[in-house]
Amino acid sequence: MMPGTNFEDSLRREPYTEPRRVTVQQVEQIKERVAQGERKKNHFKWLIPVLLSLTVLIGVSWFNLPFMQSPKAAESKAITMPSEERTLRIINKFDPDKTRSIIHQELLDNRQILVLTKVIKSDEKTTVWEAGVLNEEEGSLKWLKKGEVTTPFISREQYEKLTEKGVTDTLTHAFVPLTNANGRTLVIGTSIDPHTNSIDITDSNNNVYKARKIQASLLWYTFLPEKQQSQYRYEPSEEVVTGK
């Protein structure tokens, strides 16, 4: 056999007729082939469990991701108070009216904003006082009107005639199907008396609740325990109410 000739090639080319001496080089070649085969086997034995572990880890992480992130996601979605200009644009998108103005707005919770508005109905000679909420839905704010009270246009002479009987007769009010975090129901109303700063609302057990009159407006509002409307009495007050 020629020096450098591959031992296996020699066997394939010539019939095996007699014992031949195997050289040291040929033995090393055989050892290297065997070692390569063992390394491949060991490589796949190590790789398979690692791939299985990674697959399980990715699956568990993907399954738990929404639950792990839900508290932070809820915090990030908490709405902030928009400007009156933006609030007006949102409301007019759902219910257009050029005469509408924002009277008051406040956060009810991290998903709702209470909004009180005024709309002038010149043809009907009335003012409509609206109560509604901005709700966050699908990443945007949407307007939902909940209730309203209406007051007629009055002249100074008409006002003086009304107050002759007492300003109590000038009060209007309406319960609105809207509750706050304490489970109390919204009530809104109007008073044309410019000296009235708040409204004393007394229930059948003589518990008194203060409704705040919004400055520079006829409108007043508060949240009351949910009871029958007839259980409350309304009286104007000149006491200044600074809280909600």
Side-chain angles (χ1 to χ4, degrees), residues 1-2 5-6 8-15:
M1 183 170 54
M2 299 291 294
T5 302
N6 185 280
E8 294 177 356
D9 291 341
S10 177
L11 289 177
R12 282 193 293 268
R13 286 196 307 268
E14 301 176 13

mmCIF file with all atom_site columns, all heavy atoms in Angstrom, residues 1-2 5-6 8-15:
data_model
loop_
_atom_site.group_PDB
_atom_site.id
_atom_site.type_symbol
_atom_site.label_atom_id
_atom_site.label_alt_id
_atom_site.label_comp_id
_atom_site.label_asym_id
_atom_site.label_entity_id
_atom_site.label_seq_id
_atom_site.pdbx_PDB_ins_code
_atom_site.Cartn_x
_atom_site.Cartn_y
_atom_site.Cartn_z
_atom_site.occupancy
_atom_site.B_iso_or_equiv
_atom_site.pdbx_formal_charge
_atom_site.auth_seq_id
_atom_site.auth_comp_id
_atom_site.auth_asym_id
_atom_site.auth_atom_id
_atom_site.pdbx_PDB_model_num
ATOM 1   N N   . MET A 1 1  ? 0.845   -1.181 0.000  1.00 0.00 ? 1  MET A N   1
ATOM 2   C CA  . MET A 1 1  ? 0.000   0.000  0.000  1.00 0.00 ? 1  MET A CA  1
ATOM 3   C C   . MET A 1 1  ? 0.878   1.228  0.000  1.00 0.00 ? 1  MET A C   1
ATOM 4   O O   . MET A 1 1  ? 1.877   1.294  0.698  1.00 0.00 ? 1  MET A O   1
ATOM 5   C CB  . MET A 1 1  ? -0.898  -0.032 1.237  1.00 0.00 ? 1  MET A CB  1
ATOM 6   C CG  . MET A 1 1  ? -1.863  1.106  1.288  1.00 0.00 ? 1  MET A CG  1
ATOM 7   S SD  . MET A 1 1  ? -3.087  0.875  2.614  1.00 0.00 ? 1  MET A SD  1
ATOM 8   C CE  . MET A 1 1  ? -1.965  0.637  4.000  1.00 0.00 ? 1  MET A CE  1
ATOM 9   N N   . MET A 1 2  ? 0.516   2.224  -0.829 1.00 0.00 ? 2  MET A N   1
ATOM 10  C CA  . MET A 1 2  ? 1.284   3.445  -0.978 1.00 0.00 ? 2  MET A CA  1
ATOM 11  C C   . MET A 1 2  ? 1.165   4.281  0.275  1.00 0.00 ? 2  MET A C   1
ATOM 12  O O   . MET A 1 2  ? 0.123   4.327  0.901  1.00 0.00 ? 2  MET A O   1
ATOM 13  C CB  . MET A 1 2  ? 0.782   4.250  -2.183 1.00 0.00 ? 2  MET A CB  1
ATOM 14  C CG  . MET A 1 2  ? 0.906   3.518  -3.511 1.00 0.00 ? 2  MET A CG  1
ATOM 15  S SD  . MET A 1 2  ? 2.635   3.307  -4.009 1.00 0.00 ? 2  MET A SD  1
ATOM 16  C CE  . MET A 1 2  ? 3.101   5.014  -4.291 1.00 0.00 ? 2  MET A CE  1
ATOM 17  N N   . THR A 1 5  ? -1.957  6.546  1.585  1.00 0.00 ? 5  THR A N   1
ATOM 18  C CA  . THR A 1 5  ? -3.234  6.053  1.046  1.00 0.00 ? 5  THR A CA  1
ATOM 19  C C   . THR A 1 5  ? -4.190  5.759  2.186  1.00 0.00 ? 5  THR A C   1
ATOM 20  O O   . THR A 1 5  ? -3.807  5.171  3.190  1.00 0.00 ? 5  THR A O   1
ATOM 21  C CB  . THR A 1 5  ? -3.009  4.777  0.225  1.00 0.00 ? 5  THR A CB  1
ATOM 22  O OG1 . THR A 1 5  ? -2.105  5.062  -0.821 1.00 0.00 ? 5  THR A OG1 1
ATOM 23  C CG2 . THR A 1 5  ? -4.341  4.289  -0.357 1.00 0.00 ? 5  THR A CG2 1
ATOM 24  N N   . ASN A 1 6  ? -5.424  6.151  2.024  1.00 0.00 ? 6  ASN A N   1
ATOM 25  C CA  . ASN A 1 6  ? -6.437  5.924  3.058  1.00 0.00 ? 6  ASN A CA  1
ATOM 26  C C   . ASN A 1 6  ? -6.672  4.432  3.202  1.00 0.00 ? 6  ASN A C   1
ATOM 27  O O   . ASN A 1 6  ? -6.869  3.722  2.224  1.00 0.00 ? 6  ASN A O   1
ATOM 28  C CB  . ASN A 1 6  ? -7.737  6.632  2.667  1.00 0.00 ? 6  ASN A CB  1
ATOM 29  C CG  . ASN A 1 6  ? -8.768  6.516  3.783  1.00 0.00 ? 6  ASN A CG  1
ATOM 30  O OD1 . ASN A 1 6  ? -9.409  5.487  3.910  1.00 0.00 ? 6  ASN A OD1 1
ATOM 31  N ND2 . ASN A 1 6  ? -8.894  7.588  4.548  1.00 0.00 ? 6  ASN A ND2 1
ATOM 32  N N   . GLU A 1 8  ? -9.213  2.758  4.444  1.00 0.00 ? 8  GLU A N   1
ATOM 33  C CA  . GLU A 1 8  ? -10.534 2.303  4.049  1.00 0.00 ? 8  GLU A CA  1
ATOM 34  C C   . GLU A 1 8  ? -10.665 2.274  2.535  1.00 0.00 ? 8  GLU A C   1
ATOM 35  O O   . GLU A 1 8  ? -11.284 1.363  1.968  1.00 0.00 ? 8  GLU A O   1
ATOM 36  C CB  . GLU A 1 8  ? -11.604 3.222  4.646  1.00 0.00 ? 8  GLU A CB  1
ATOM 37  C CG  . GLU A 1 8  ? -11.648 3.125  6.161  1.00 0.00 ? 8  GLU A CG  1
ATOM 38  C CD  . GLU A 1 8  ? -12.657 4.080  6.746  1.00 0.00 ? 8  GLU A CD  1
ATOM 39  O OE1 . GLU A 1 8  ? -13.252 4.843  5.970  1.00 0.00 ? 8  GLU A OE1 1
ATOM 40  O OE2 . GLU A 1 8  ? -12.872 4.042  7.963  1.00 0.00 ? 8  GLU A OE2 1
ATOM 41  N N   . ASP A 1 9  ? -10.061 3.241  1.848  1.00 0.00 ? 9  ASP A N   1
ATOM 42  C CA  . ASP A 1 9  ? -10.120 3.246  0.383  1.00 0.00 ? 9  ASP A CA  1
ATOM 43  C C   . ASP A 1 9  ? -9.405  2.027  -0.176 1.00 0.00 ? 9  ASP A C   1
ATOM 44  O O   . ASP A 1 9  ? -9.826  1.426  -1.174 1.00 0.00 ? 9  ASP A O   1
ATOM 45  C CB  . ASP A 1 9  ? -9.473  4.518  -0.171 1.00 0.00 ? 9  ASP A CB  1
ATOM 46  C CG  . ASP A 1 9  ? -10.306 5.747  0.143  1.00 0.00 ? 9  ASP A CG  1
ATOM 47  O OD1 . ASP A 1 9  ? -11.510 5.579  0.446  1.00 0.00 ? 9  ASP A OD1 1
ATOM 48  O OD2 . ASP A 1 9  ? -9.751  6.863  0.085  1.00 0.00 ? 9  ASP A OD2 1
ATOM 49  N N   . SER A 1 10 ? -8.311  1.674  0.457  1.00 0.00 ? 10 SER A N   1
ATOM 50  C CA  . SER A 1 10 ? -7.547  0.513  -0.004 1.00 0.00 ? 10 SER A CA  1
ATOM 51  C C   . SER A 1 10 ? -8.369  -0.760 0.109  1.00 0.00 ? 10 SER A C   1
ATOM 52  O O   . SER A 1 10 ? -8.348  -1.618 -0.767 1.00 0.00 ? 10 SER A O   1
ATOM 53  C CB  . SER A 1 10 ? -6.256  0.396  0.801  1.00 0.00 ? 10 SER A CB  1
ATOM 54  O OG  . SER A 1 10 ? -5.543  -0.754 0.429  1.00 0.00 ? 10 SER A OG  1
ATOM 55  N N   . LEU A 1 11 ? -9.097  -0.886 1.213  1.00 0.00 ? 11 LEU A N   1
ATOM 56  C CA  . LEU A 1 11 ? -9.925  -2.070 1.407  1.00 0.00 ? 11 LEU A CA  1
ATOM 57  C C   . LEU A 1 11 ? -11.033 -2.148 0.370  1.00 0.00 ? 11 LEU A C   1
ATOM 58  O O   . LEU A 1 11 ? -11.410 -3.223 -0.079 1.00 0.00 ? 11 LEU A O   1
ATOM 59  C CB  . LEU A 1 11 ? -10.521 -2.079 2.813  1.00 0.00 ? 11 LEU A CB  1
ATOM 60  C CG  . LEU A 1 11 ? -9.534  -2.355 3.968  1.00 0.00 ? 11 LEU A CG  1
ATOM 61  C CD1 . LEU A 1 11 ? -10.263 -2.256 5.300  1.00 0.00 ? 11 LEU A CD1 1
ATOM 62  C CD2 . LEU A 1 11 ? -8.890  -3.734 3.817  1.00 0.00 ? 11 LEU A CD2 1
ATOM 63  N N   . ARG A 1 12 ? -11.596 -0.931 0.022  1.00 0.00 ? 12 ARG A N   1
ATOM 64  C CA  . ARG A 1 12 ? -12.681 -0.923 -0.951 1.00 0.00 ? 12 ARG A CA  1
ATOM 65  C C   . ARG A 1 12 ? -12.170 -1.256 -2.355 1.00 0.00 ? 12 ARG A C   1
ATOM 66  O O   . ARG A 1 12 ? -12.857 -1.865 -3.166 1.00 0.00 ? 12 ARG A O   1
ATOM 67  C CB  . ARG A 1 12 ? -13.392 0.447  -0.950 1.00 0.00 ? 12 ARG A CB  1
ATOM 68  C CG  . ARG A 1 12 ? -14.338 0.622  0.216  1.00 0.00 ? 12 ARG A CG  1
ATOM 69  C CD  . ARG A 1 12 ? -15.240 1.840  -0.021 1.00 0.00 ? 12 ARG A CD  1
ATOM 70  N NE  . ARG A 1 12 ? -14.463 3.066  0.002  1.00 0.00 ? 12 ARG A NE  1
ATOM 71  C CZ  . ARG A 1 12 ? -14.280 3.787  1.117  1.00 0.00 ? 12 ARG A CZ  1
ATOM 72  N NH1 . ARG A 1 12 ? -14.807 3.389  2.264  1.00 0.00 ? 12 ARG A NH1 1
ATOM 73  N NH2 . ARG A 1 12 ? -13.573 4.889  1.086  1.00 0.00 ? 12 ARG A NH2 1
ATOM 74  N N   . ARG A 1 13 ? -10.928 -0.838 -2.703 1.00 0.00 ? 13 ARG A N   1
ATOM 75  C CA  . ARG A 1 13 ? -10.414 -1.065 -4.058 1.00 0.00 ? 13 ARG A CA  1
ATOM 76  C C   . ARG A 1 13 ? -9.949  -2.506 -4.280 1.00 0.00 ? 13 ARG A C   1
ATOM 77  O O   . ARG A 1 13 ? -10.089 -3.070 -5.344 1.00 0.00 ? 13 ARG A O   1
ATOM 78  C CB  . ARG A 1 13 ? -9.237  -0.125 -4.322 1.00 0.00 ? 13 ARG A CB  1
ATOM 79  C CG  . ARG A 1 13 ? -9.658  1.333  -4.555 1.00 0.00 ? 13 ARG A CG  1
ATOM 80  C CD  . ARG A 1 13 ? -8.509  2.111  -5.195 1.00 0.00 ? 13 ARG A CD  1
ATOM 81  N NE  . ARG A 1 13 ? -7.279  1.979  -4.422 1.00 0.00 ? 13 ARG A NE  1
ATOM 82  C CZ  . ARG A 1 13 ? -6.928  2.855  -3.467 1.00 0.00 ? 13 ARG A CZ  1
ATOM 83  N NH1 . ARG A 1 13 ? -7.726  3.857  -3.148 1.00 0.00 ? 13 ARG A NH1 1
ATOM 84  N NH2 . ARG A 1 13 ? -5.799  2.687  -2.811 1.00 0.00 ? 13 ARG A NH2 1
ATOM 85  N N   . GLU A 1 14 ? -9.377  -3.123 -3.268 1.00 0.00 ? 14 GLU A N   1
ATOM 86  C CA  . GLU A 1 14 ? -8.771  -4.442 -3.447 1.00 0.00 ? 14 GLU A CA  1
ATOM 87  C C   . GLU A 1 14 ? -9.490  -5.468 -2.586 1.00 0.00 ? 14 GLU A C   1
ATOM 88  O O   . GLU A 1 14 ? -9.803  -5.192 -1.430 1.00 0.00 ? 14 GLU A O   1
ATOM 89  C CB  . GLU A 1 14 ? -7.290  -4.406 -3.060 1.00 0.00 ? 14 GLU A CB  1
ATOM 90  C CG  . GLU A 1 14 ? -6.499  -3.394 -3.896 1.00 0.00 ? 14 GLU A CG  1
ATOM 91  C CD  . GLU A 1 14 ? -5.070  -3.332 -3.417 1.00 0.00 ? 14 GLU A CD  1
ATOM 92  O OE1 . GLU A 1 14 ? -4.684  -4.231 -2.634 1.00 0.00 ? 14 GLU A OE1 1
ATOM 93  O OE2 . GLU A 1 14 ? -4.366  -2.396 -3.814 1.00 0.00 ? 14 GLU A OE2 1
ATOM 94  N N   . PRO A 1 15 ? -9.707  -6.648 -3.142 1.00 0.00 ? 15 PRO A N   1
ATOM 95  C CA  . PRO A 1 15 ? -10.314 -7.718 -2.325 1.00 0.00 ? 15 PRO A CA  1
ATOM 96  C C   . PRO A 1 15 ? -9.383  -8.061 -1.181 1.00 0.00 ? 15 PRO A C   1
ATOM 97  O O   . PRO A 1 15 ? -8.156  -8.001 -1.302 1.00 0.00 ? 15 PRO A O   1
ATOM 98  C CB  . PRO A 1 15 ? -10.468 -8.886 -3.288 1.00 0.00 ? 15 PRO A CB  1
ATOM 99  C CG  . PRO A 1 15 ? -10.357 -8.280 -4.643 1.00 0.00 ? 15 PRO A CG  1
ATOM 100 C CD  . PRO A 1 15 ? -9.469  -7.073 -4.511 1.00 0.00 ? 15 PRO A CD  1
#
